[in-house]
Amino acid sequence: MTQTLLDFFGPAGVLAQAWPGFEHRPGQVRMAEAVAQAIEAGSHLVIEGSTGIGKGYAYLIPALLAEQPVMVSTATKALQDQLSQKDLPALAEALGRPISVAVVKGRHTYACVLEWQKSRQLADANLALFSTAEDASAWIALDAWITEQEDSEGDGDLDHYSAPLSHTLRERVTVEQH
C-alpha cells in the first residue's frame, strides 16, 4: 500500500497534480501508512501529530482507499464541519469520484419531538417554563421553528437555527441523558 499512498501524497502524486502548491510531507505519508496498516489489520490506532502535518488527509486517503465504511470521530463540531464541508469534497474532486458521507452529531444538536411536546404542554398550561424573560421570548421563535421543521420534514438540527440558544432553552427541546 505504500506505493499507492505515495501515488497520492508524493511530490508528483494525485494531490500535487490537483492542488497547485501542495507540498509533500514525509510525516503525513508515515501517518497515512500507519492508518492504512490499522485498517488492514482491523485494529485501532491513536496518533498525535503537530499542527500543519496534514492529519486530515493522512487518515482520509487510506480510509477512502479501503473502500469500506469508515467512521471518523472528531472532538469538535468545527473539525467535523471542516472534514464534511471542505476536506472530503476537495478529495472527491481531486480523486475524480464521489464520496458518500454521513454526519452524525451528538444528542444536544437535534430537537427532540417528545421533549419539545412536553415543553409545549407546560407552556400551554401557563406553567413557569423559563426563569428569564429572554428565554420565554426566545421560546416563541424556537417553537415556531421546530413546528416548521416538523411540517417540512426537516432534520431539527439546532445548529441551523438562526438565533443563539441558551443552555436552558436547549435543555427544554433536546433528548435527556437517560
Side-chain angles (χ1 to χ4, degrees):
M1 173 142 325
T2 302
Q3 182 58 44
T4 305
L5 291 173
L6 285 177
D7 289 342
F8 286 91
F9 293 107
V14 172
L15 300 181
Q17 291 174 19
W19 302 324
F22 178 83
E23 69 180 75
H24 171 72
R25 302 173 190 162
Q28 186 178 46
V29 176
R30 285 192 304 277
M31 182 177 167
E33 288 170 341
V35 171
Q37 290 169 359
I39 290 172
E40 193 172 306
S43 63
H44 296 100
L45 177 67
V46 176
I47 295 178
E48 183 177 30
S50 61
T51 301
I53 193 172
K55 294 180 291 288
Y57 295 135
Y59 57 77
L60 291 174
I61 294 283
L64 294 170
L65 292 175
E67 296 186 5
Q68 65 185 19
V70 174
M71 182 173 65
V72 175
S73 177
T74 63
T76 65
K77 288 183 184 180
L79 179 55
Q80 185 178 52
D81 290 343
Q82 176 186 324
L83 292 174
S84 65
Q85 297 171 14
K86 182 182 174 194
D87 294 348
L88 285 164
L91 283 172
E93 186 175 327
L95 300 175
R97 66 178 174 103
I99 297 172
S100 177
V101 176
V103 176
V104 180
K105 300 178 183 181
R107 65 182 174 83
H108 269 85
T109 303
Y110 298 98
C112 169
V113 174
L114 180 61
E115 293 301 319
W116 166 61
Q117 289 173 343
K118 287 194 302 191
S119 294
R120 259 186 142 187
Q121 289 172 351
L122 292 173
D124 289 347
N126 290 322
L127 297 176
L129 191 59
F130 301 106
S131 58
T132 68
E134 292 84 15
D135 280 346
S137 177
W139 165 255
I140 296 167
L142 178 61
D143 180 56
W145 182 82
I146 295 173
T147 300
E148 180 183 307
Q149 289 288 297
E150 187 176 48
D151 292 344
S152 67
E153 296 184 20
D155 63 7
D157 184 341
L158 294 170
D159 288 344
H160 298 146
Y161 182 64
S162 60
L165 291 176
S166 69
H167 177 74
T168 303
L169 203 55
R170 187 174 287 267
E171 287 289 318
R172 285 288 182 183
V173 297
T174 57
V175 174
E176 295 178 9
Q177 184 176 357
H178 303 289

